[in-house]
Amino acid sequence: MRQVVEYFGDFFWLLLDTLRAIRPALWTGRGRTLAWHNLWVQMNRIGVESIPIVCLVMFCIGAILALQMAPELAKFGIVPVTADVVALATFREMGPLVSAVVMTGFGGAAIAAEIGTMVVGEEIEALEAMAIDPIRFLVVPRVLAGMVTMVGLTAVGDLAAMVGGMVTSAWLLHLGAMQYIHHALTILKVGDFLTGLVKAAVFGLLISAIACLLGLKVRGGAEGVGLNTSQTVVFTIVALIVVDLLFTSLFFYLGV
């Protein structure tokens, strides 16, 4: 219990320090150039390079949803409603959550390992000796990159899942592509898309912040790097599921 409380305390203190460091990191003097450069690099590493695997996974998710729902809907003679189910499940739930899980394994673990290696190599102390704030130089770009790229990845993943469902429906369920698109556009609302993007932004914050925290907490050399990297994946996935439940409950209560 004490360790849990310590982790929560460290996490919220890190978030507070990150919020305080964002403005000087992006808009004042020398810190601006360093932060913007690091931001582009991190967005490319954890975001752009994740696009192929996110598209592949979400394409398969869309196909799986279509194949699982079609037999049950066929009993009631409403196979075209498959597009409605795939669209709602993807945009509201599966898109942000599955994309976040993929990004956790692809980007979160890499962030934790990279920062943990810097801790072991005493590079953090070197930054502090040069009067460079590690939070501003290391954490801020990764947190901002995680939030921005997670939103973009979710949008791309939603599209890939819809394509997967459409291809499966046209190939195996004999549901026309235009009919599929018409049903999907009819059932979807702007709120369905926005709720998924809100979740995605928070998920990106969680992934990058937890990875940075556990990277900074590495102790014990190479063994500590491996331990904290694996803990990053486990803790982040648990946090994503819990926060997703909270968001879904809130949206249900608000009727969004």
Side-chain angles (χ1 to χ4, degrees):
M1 182 61 69
R2 186 186 68 181
Q3 289 180 342
V4 172
V5 174
E6 287 179 353
Y7 272 114
F8 273 104
D10 292 340
F11 179 76
F12 286 113
W13 275 114
L14 179 66
L15 285 183
L16 182 60
D17 291 340
T18 302
L19 291 175
R20 290 173 176 171
I22 286 178
R23 185 178 182 277
L26 298 179
W27 289 298
T28 57
R30 180 169 173 262
R32 179 177 61 182
T33 303
L34 289 173
W36 280 112
H37 172 71
N38 290 340
L39 179 61
W40 307 140
V41 171
Q42 295 303 322
M43 288 178 66
N44 180 71
R45 285 186 56 203
I46 66 178
V48 176
E49 295 181 2
S50 302
I51 291 177
I53 188 171
V54 168
C55 288
L56 175 61
V57 172
M58 291 305 300
F59 181 91
C60 295
I61 291 291
I64 291 170
L65 286 174
L67 290 174
Q68 290 288 351
M69 296 305 303
E72 299 302 319
L73 295 175
K75 297 177 182 178
F76 302 95
I78 51 174
V79 174
V81 178
T82 301
D84 301 29
V85 176
V86 174
L88 287 177
T90 297
F91 279 84
R92 295 187 66 92
E93 193 65 38
M94 301 303 294
L97 184 59
V98 174
S99 298
V101 171
V102 172
M103 184 175 171
T104 298
F106 192 90
I111 291 174
E114 181 183 22
I115 295 181
T117 303
M118 296 178 69
V119 171
V120 172
E122 300 182 352
E123 296 179 43
I124 305 297
E125 289 83 352
L127 290 175
E128 293 174 341
M130 294 185 291
I132 298 176
D133 183 10
I135 299 297
R136 184 179 68 179
F137 188 74
L138 298 176
V139 177
V140 169
R142 288 164 174 80
V143 169
L144 292 178
M147 294 178 65
V148 173
T149 56
M150 190 65 242
V151 173
L153 284 175
T154 298
V156 173
D158 290 342
L159 179 60
M162 294 303 298
V163 172
M166 182 177 66
V167 171
T168 303
S169 298
W171 184 27
L172 298 177
L173 307 179
H174 307 292
L175 180 63
M178 294 307 299
Q179 187 179 11
Y180 179 94
I181 295 173
H182 174 72
H183 272 269
L185 293 179
T186 301
I187 194 66
L188 285 175
K189 301 177 182 178
V190 176
D192 299 324
F193 184 63
L194 293 181
T195 53
L197 295 186
V198 170
K199 286 184 179 181
V202 176
F203 290 168
L205 173 66
L206 285 174
I207 294 169
S208 52
I210 293 175
C212 289
L213 173 64
L214 293 179
L216 291 171
K217 290 175 68 69
V218 166
R219 299 293 183 272
E223 182 180 358
V225 174
L227 176 62
N228 280 32
T229 300
S230 61
Q231 286 183 348
T232 296
V233 177
V234 175
F235 290 177
T236 302
I237 292 177
V238 172
L240 291 174
I241 299 297
V242 172
V243 172
D244 185 47
L245 173 60
L246 295 177
F247 266 119
T248 302
S249 302
L250 177 62
F251 292 149
F252 177 80
Y253 176 77
L254 297 177
V256 178

